[in-house]
Amino acid sequence: MKIAYSARTASAVAARLVPAGLPCEAIDGQPYATSCDEFLSAISSGRLAHSNQEELTKHCLSAVRVNFGDGGWVIGRRASGANVTSAVAAALATHYATRPMTDMDIMVI
């Protein structure tokens, strides 16, 4: 388990969580762009859907796409002009949820 956060917006919070024994990992730059792209892909393909979550819907609809790097994009927190924190959190969660499993529980030789 890790707590994903943006170093640009939540470093102070993470600095308080780490001494309490909670593992935190900053997701910015290219990994953040990848997270945003995976989030959009999951929504577009129908692999990710939600209902009865009015705030998440509002945040996703308020999110502004900002170009990043060579063809990449991110959810622009400032460019959105509205609170989009739950859309960013959903993108970070999607990033972790779509990663391939790397831990091995049982190995048979």
Side-chain angles (χ1 to χ4, degrees), residues 29-108:
Q30 189 57 49
Y32 178 55
T34 300
S35 298
C36 293
D37 193 52
E38 290 167 340
F39 182 51
L40 179 60
S41 174
I43 292 170
S44 298
S45 68
R47 290 178 288 130
L48 179 64
H50 70 91
S51 61
N52 299 325
Q53 296 170 327
E54 191 175 312
E55 282 300 306
L56 179 57
T57 299
K58 181 178 167 185
H59 288 200
C60 289
L61 292 174
S62 297
V64 171
R65 180 180 174 146
V66 175
N67 292 336
F68 176 84
D70 294 336
W73 68 279
V74 296
I75 296 171
R77 297 174 191 107
R78 289 187 187 144
S80 297
N83 188 347
V84 294
T85 53
S86 62
V88 171
L92 297 178
T94 301
H95 177 66
Y96 279 96
T98 58
R99 290 189 337 183
M101 296 293 286
T102 57
D103 294 339
M104 190 180 315
D105 292 329
I106 300 172
M107 183 171 129
V108 179

